[in-house]
Amino acid sequence: MWHRTRLTERLNLDWPIFSAPMTPFATPSLAAGVSNAGGIGGLGMTSFTPEECERRIAGFRQLSGRSLNANLLLWGPTGNLDGQYSEMRSRIADYYREEGLGDAPEPATNGSSVNPELLEVLMATKPEVVSFHWGLPDQDIVQALKGNGSMIVACATTVAEARQLEALGADAIIAQGLEAGGHRGTFTDVDATMQAGLFALLPQIVNACSVPIIAAGGVSNGRSIAAAMVLGAEAVWMGTAFLRSPEALVPDAHRLALRTAGDASTIVTRLVSGKPARVLPNKLTRELADVDGGPMPFPAQLSLVKPLEASEHGDLGQLYAGQGAALTRELPAEDLMAQLTEDADAHLRAMLA
Ligand SMILES: Cc1cc2nc3c(=O)[nH]c(=O)nc-3n(C[C@H](O)[C@H](O)[C@H](O)COP(=O)(O)O)c2cc1C
């Protein structure tokens, strides 16, 4: 059966489908819907306190007795930004004034880490998967989580990154094609124009690694799930497709932009966060494109842009979306899972018949 793989066996899944953690859009109820339908739901931990992370995981466990993927973003500090990016800061400050948000705050310059309190939460709650975007944490953390029974999953955008993650102990690797919505997962600063689409990237990473490979980027319907499995994936990892589910915490302006997206609607830009991310363009990405000195590094740019999401006039949010947005549907997670699995199954059976 096409849907029995090393990942479905290890994680006790009916279907090799991960919903992407999509912090903070993916909620415990979205993740539980996916897991209850036989896939595995993802839940972001970044930007939440350890207590909030514990509550998010407990919320999931109340709604589902099945497997969970808890996710963390890893990044370094920006260094001192004093006196730099003055043009970007002043243009963003104009938006704060126009939107009645007061003075723009000082940008955040901190790095992220798996701090001891968060590690304690992860050790106590034992998510079946702990996944990382932008590399892996120190070996002692990787080994502690593995020893505690969590499977370690990390994201690669090139064969070299995949090899590196496998050598560092990843139990499975996400091959993230250029089609993917949200942040590019590169942790070696590969230029986005040189990153491959999933069709080219996936079989190369499958050939290069011996751990199971999970396909991400533009996987949006049953047909693309089938294609990814034929190309050697042992699961798919879908973000944008679940962004339209009612359980996702997505602002109305973002939902509308997703609903009206076409095949050539998205761009990769550093303007929304400081790291390259695929989004639907809006007033923010259009108007800030010509700013001298460009965007601040992550998370400084994000920390100034994020509050604008709540702006009364809209169009200043971060409209993350993948290239498959036009194929997505507005369905509750469990219904979407039923449709995706039925369609993928039908395509693969027809091909094998
Ligand atoms: C709205 C949104 C938020 C995301 N947030 C995260 C995140 O918190 N952690 C993570 O590992 N990946 C995140 N991603 C990237 C996804 O894990 C994944 O690579 C991507 O969604 C796959 O492409 P697709 O959107 O075309 O399905 C996000 C993607 C989107 C669309």
Side-chain angles (χ1 to χ4, degrees):
M1 291 291 273
W2 68 269
H3 53 87
R4 298 256 67 89
T5 69
R6 285 180 288 177
L7 288 169
T8 58
E9 294 310 292
R10 159 105 191 239
L11 297 169
N12 190 25
L13 313 179
D14 301 330
W15 300 101
I17 299 179
F18 287 71
S19 62
M22 299 195 291
T23 325
F25 307 90
T27 57
S29 63
L30 174 63
V34 173
S35 294
N36 286 338
I40 171 166
L43 204 51
M45 302 286 114
T46 300
S47 78
F48 296 99
T49 64
E51 295 72 30
E52 287 168 337
C53 291
E54 195 169 12
R55 274 204 295 280
R56 280 167 76 74
I57 294 173
F60 171 90
R61 298 282 189 220
Q62 261 171 18
L63 297 170
S64 176
R66 302 199 68 174
S67 292
L68 169 68
N69 163 24
N71 173 265
L72 288 139
L73 301 165
L74 300 172
W75 71 89
T78 61
N80 187 347
L81 300 181
D82 286 353
Q84 298 176 64
Y85 303 100
S86 52
E87 170 81 14
M88 181 58 74
R89 291 170 73 160
S90 117
R91 292 280 288 270
I92 294 179
D94 289 345
Y95 290 138
Y96 275 70
R97 266 191 296 281
E98 284 164 24
E99 299 293 331
L101 295 172
D103 292 335
E106 279 302 303
T109 55
N110 60 295
S112 74
S113 69
V114 186
N115 60 47
E117 295 77 28
L118 179 56
L119 182 60
E120 209 173 290
V121 169
L122 294 173
M123 296 296 282
T125 54
K126 295 184 193 289
E128 286 70 14
V129 172
V130 179
S131 62
F132 296 93
H133 206 59
W134 300 328
L136 278 168
D138 291 343
Q139 271 302 302
D140 51 343
I141 293 173
V142 169
Q143 294 309 329
L145 290 167
K146 283 173 76 138
N148 199 42
S150 294
M151 184 171 195
I152 301 295
V153 173
C155 182
T157 63
T158 60
V159 168
E161 287 182 348
R163 286 206 171 106
Q164 205 174 318
L165 294 170
E166 183 170 34
L168 290 169
D171 297 308
I173 292 166
I174 303 157
Q176 190 200 42
L178 191 57
E179 302 91 329
H183 283 102
R184 303 296 312 138
T186 181
F187 56 95
T188 59
D189 285 335
V190 181
D191 189 304
T193 59
M194 295 174 72
Q195 290 170 18
L198 189 62
F199 213 88
L201 180 69
L202 176 57
Q204 295 186 65
I205 291 188
V206 168
N207 283 349
C209 297
S210 56
V211 295
I213 305 303
I214 306 166
V219 183
S220 311
N221 62 8
R223 200 181 281 281
S224 43
I225 294 171
M229 299 305 286
V230 171
L231 288 173
E234 295 195 43
V236 295
W237 176 288
M238 303 170 68
T240 306
F242 288 100
L243 208 46
R244 296 186 60 198
S245 298
E247 298 98 320
L249 257 185
V250 177
D252 288 346
H254 195 166
R255 281 190 188 273
L256 178 63
L258 286 165
R259 196 158 54 235
T260 51
D263 61 325
S265 297
T266 62
I267 55 168
V268 174
T269 178
R270 289 179 53 233
L271 288 167
V272 297
S273 76
K275 278 187 183 279
R278 186 173 291 283
V279 299
L280 292 158
N282 59 358
K283 174 172 152 155
L284 184 104
T285 60
R286 276 189 291 271
E287 291 186 352
L288 296 183
D290 65 348
V291 170
D292 260 2
M296 290 172 277
F298 190 96
Q301 183 81 5
L302 180 66
S303 68
L304 293 197
V305 165
K306 186 114 186 78
L308 296 171
E309 194 171 64
S311 71
E312 214 178 300
H313 309 103
D315 224 20
L316 293 171
Q318 310 129 260
L319 308 182
Y320 300 115
Q323 289 182 330
L327 291 169
T328 62
R329 302 199 201 152
E330 197 160 333
L331 284 175
E334 283 203 55
D335 296 350
L336 180 57
M337 279 291 294
Q339 203 165 87
L340 291 170
T341 51
E342 195 178 307
D343 284 357
D345 199 44
H347 285 301
L348 282 159
R349 278 176 197 278
M351 202 182 292
L352 294 172

